[in-house]
Amino acid sequence: MSSLLSFSATTGRLDAVLAALSGASRSQVAGWIAGGHVQVEGQPVTKASLKLRGGERLDVTPPRCRTPAWRQRTCPWT
């Protein structure tokens, strides 16, 4: 089960802000957004280019890493 991550947004595009805050790449974050794993102020969002003013609460439930056990690696959001 993935855990919920919460962040306080800075000003900018949702994908760029969340990538900077989480340490994940923008393409990973775009996948989370498209997959319905991101909420802004409790509302699901699907638009990576959403403009943030700063201070919004970002909640993310990232999908599990799909790395085989024999090839352990650390997920960028843990």
Side-chain angles (χ1 to χ4, degrees), residues 3 5 11 14 19-21 23-24 27 37 40 42-46 51 58-59 61 72:
S3 59
L5 304 175
T11 303
L14 175 59
L21 292 171
S27 62
H37 298 279
V40 176
Q43 299 298 315
V45 293
T46 56
K51 300 289 184 191
L58 307 177
D59 294 323
T61 307
Q72 292 290 322

Side-chain angles (χ1 to χ4, degrees), residues 25-51:
S25 70
R26 278 179 73 172
S27 62
Q28 284 176 309
V29 169
W32 298 347
I33 295 167
H37 298 279
V38 178
Q39 295 182 348
V40 176
E41 292 294 332
Q43 299 298 315
V45 293
T46 56
K47 187 175 176 185
S49 63
L50 178 72
K51 300 289 184 191

Side-chain angles (χ1 to χ4, degrees), residues 2 6 8 17 22 24 27 29-30 39 49-50 59 62 66-67 69 75-76:
S2 296
S6 294
S8 180
V17 168
S22 69
S27 62
V29 169
Q39 295 182 348
S49 63
L50 178 72
D59 294 323
R66 296 185 180 170
T67 304
C75 291

